[in-house]
Amino acid sequence: MASSNLFFHNPLDSALLKSRRSVKPGEKSDPRGNYFRDVTAIIHSYPFRRLKHKTQVFYAPKNDHICTRIEHVMHVASIASTICRALDLNSDLAWAIGLGHDLGHTPFGHLGERILSSLSGKKFSHELYSLKTVDCLTMYGKGLNLTYAVRDGIVNHCGERFEQSLRPDFTVRKLEEITDRGCLPATWEGIAVRFSDKIAYLGRDFEDACHLQLTTADSLPPAAARVLGTTNAQMINTMVCDIIETSLQTGEIGFSDPVYEAMQMLVRFNYEQIYRNPKMTAYHDNFERILTTIYDYLLNLMQKYGRDSARYTEEPNSLAAHFADYLQKMAEYYTGKPDDEAAFDYLAGMTDDYAIDCVSEIMLPKSFQIKF
């Protein structure tokens, strides 16, 4: 078996990959190292905390054993770290990208993306929005000041394309100017995360669907079951072991032909039996009404009160007060920006539960029940 060091080397300058958007004068090196510092910055951020109440696939689950977005990013980070250890790559870098890759996800999962695209009139991409989140929307407009390599892996992680094998692009870009979801990461670690995203959700989505009785283990295509297994643990183990062995042999990160073909069968099965299941799509109109109502209400607030946060207390609900607090703390960032951007960002950052609570308040304020 070939040595991983012969294949998996990042030719881009190490100083560039570790560089940050801003450096304080006299700033000392961090004992955690550049990439593990990014790990801790991400896990202490507000967007990361909110992931525990954001949809992975199954909306606002009350079943504690159903995967939420925060579990998903931890699964991705751990799988990517495992692959990178085996390929003699930087596991801290993979861990940071994995934890941060979905920080820009909307409430109600990928459906939320489509709804927000409709509201804004332009394609919403959680990959690009995750970069905006870590660069601009955390720390009240200051951002997390992550390294170039982590930011690159976040914005280029695209988990909905199912390539068999990939190599990094090794191109230096102005990441904030990327508009194409098809761009490839500039590091091998970013490529590992891109594959780990798929490995993490395919088997887990199937397992959760079985728990919720949307499908059964014996419904899997027999050819896929023979290769991948019939449980999430078996599927992850098969795909991770295969990608490590195949990558060491080929010099590209990717799957062998049998595992890739079986994975494609699983992808088709999940789309047909889970993601497009009528029980899943039945609530799409409800979620669209929820997000549309909140967005219109926030825009109306800004038309009435502008950036005068004190006046928002005239509204009989806590949403207005919380949004006023957000505008006040983010005032510097939104200076010169249109009102709809602030309303959109606040909506995009909501959790499923918070969005549902907010629309309830808008439609029937608690003070109404007290007065009448």
Side-chain angles (χ1 to χ4, degrees):
M1 186 174 290
S3 168
S4 58
N5 287 319
L6 296 176
F7 296 133
F8 305 108
H9 169 69
N10 292 318
L12 293 181
D13 181 54
S14 177
L16 166 69
L17 295 177
K18 295 177 181 178
S19 65
R20 304 188 185 281
R21 301 180 77 206
S22 63
V23 179
K24 297 177 182 178
E27 185 173 338
K28 298 180 180 178
S29 61
D30 196 307
R32 295 169 292 184
N34 292 274
Y35 301 133
F36 198 72
R37 177 267 176 199
D38 287 358
V39 168
T40 57
I42 290 168
I43 64 175
H44 288 292
S45 68
Y46 284 170
F48 183 81
R49 299 178 197 183
R50 291 196 297 268
L51 294 180
K52 64 180 175 288
H53 295 303
K54 288 197 177 190
T55 288
Q56 170 58 19
V57 169
F58 302 99
Y59 307 113
K62 300 305 179 185
N63 185 327
D64 291 337
H65 298 151
I66 299 302
C67 191
T68 61
R69 187 66 57 175
I70 200 167
E71 294 170 72
H72 168 69
V73 301
M74 293 172 73
H75 297 158
V76 172
S78 63
I79 291 170
S81 180
T82 299
I83 293 171
C84 286
R85 287 175 185 272
L87 301 184
D88 199 23
L89 293 167
N90 193 306
S91 60
D92 285 350
L93 172 54
W95 191 262
I97 298 170
L99 290 179
H101 81 282
D102 272 357
L103 290 182
H105 245 297
T106 63
F108 308 121
H110 289 284
L111 171 63
E113 287 191 82
R114 296 195 290 274
I115 297 170
L116 264 62
S117 293
S118 177
L119 292 176
S120 66
K122 55 186 179 182
K123 177 68 175 177
F124 181 92
S125 163
H126 78 270
E127 294 92 344
L128 308 185
Y129 200 74
S130 291
L131 182 67
K132 179 179 180 180
T133 299
V134 299
D135 279 358
C136 306
L137 300 181
T138 49
M139 302 292 290
Y140 305 118
K142 296 177 182 178
L144 296 180
N145 201 23
L146 304 180
T147 57
Y148 178 91
V150 172
R151 295 170 61 239
D152 168 82
I154 288 173
V155 75
N156 293 315
H157 78 264
C158 188
E160 285 76 57
R161 300 190 182 194
F162 297 92
E163 306 95 346
Q164 182 171 359
S165 64
L166 288 173
R167 296 177 60 85
D169 191 304
F170 299 132
T171 297
V172 179
R173 299 183 178 92
K174 290 185 177 180
L175 300 177
E176 62 276 8
E177 296 179 1
I178 290 177
T179 59
D180 181 8
R181 295 174 72 236
C183 291
L184 295 176
T187 66
W188 288 108
E189 290 85 354
I191 294 291
V193 170
R194 188 161 168 143
F195 278 102
S196 299
D197 193 10
K198 305 165 184 62
I199 294 172
Y201 74 69
L202 286 173
R204 183 58 193 269
D205 292 352
F206 169 70
E207 182 178 80
D208 285 351
C210 289
H211 281 312
L212 296 173
Q213 300 181 347
L214 291 180
T215 189
T216 58
D218 56 11
S219 298
L220 274 177
R226 280 195 300 271
V227 175
L228 300 177
T230 58
T231 68
N232 182 41
Q234 291 170 350
M235 292 173 181
I236 289 176
N237 183 68
T238 298
M239 287 188 277
V240 169
C241 291
D242 180 77
I243 206 170
I244 291 170
E245 182 177 353
T246 304
S247 300
L248 288 170
Q249 292 174 349
T250 64
E252 291 190 342
I253 294 182
F255 299 105
S256 67
D257 289 341
V259 168
Y260 180 65
E261 291 168 7
M263 187 186 78
Q264 292 285 72
M265 294 180 202
L266 179 59
V267 170
R268 290 192 292 271
F269 176 87
N270 278 11
Y271 271 92
E272 292 168 2
Q273 300 297 319
I274 303 173
Y275 310 140
R276 296 178 185 141
N277 189 304
K279 291 182 180 179
M280 291 289 292
T281 60
Y283 296 97
H284 284 192
D285 289 345
N286 300 76
F287 297 137
E288 183 169 5
R289 283 194 292 270
I290 288 171
L291 296 183
T292 301
T293 299
I294 296 171
Y295 185 60
D296 289 343
Y297 180 69
L298 294 177
L299 288 179
N300 181 258
L301 287 180
M302 298 199 76
Q303 290 170 1
K304 288 169 63 177
Y305 307 128
R307 308 294 170 100
D308 184 358
S309 57
R311 294 195 61 200
Y312 283 69
T313 57
E314 298 174 18
E315 296 291 315
N317 59 72
S318 61
L319 169 60
H322 291 156
F323 184 52
D325 181 66
Y326 176 80
L327 290 176
Q328 186 176 38
K329 291 175 177 175
M330 295 285 287
E332 184 177 349
Y333 175 74
Y334 287 120
T335 298
K337 292 181 172 63
D339 289 350
D340 60 353
E341 182 170 348
F344 186 89
D345 289 340
Y346 192 74
L347 177 66
M350 287 184 174
T351 65
D352 297 22
D353 291 342
Y354 184 54
I356 293 170
D357 289 344
C358 285
V359 83
S360 298
E361 277 199 321
I362 294 170
M363 302 308 294
L364 186 62
K366 294 178 180 178
S367 59
F368 181 89
Q369 298 172 347
I370 297 172
K371 291 181 180 179
F372 299 96

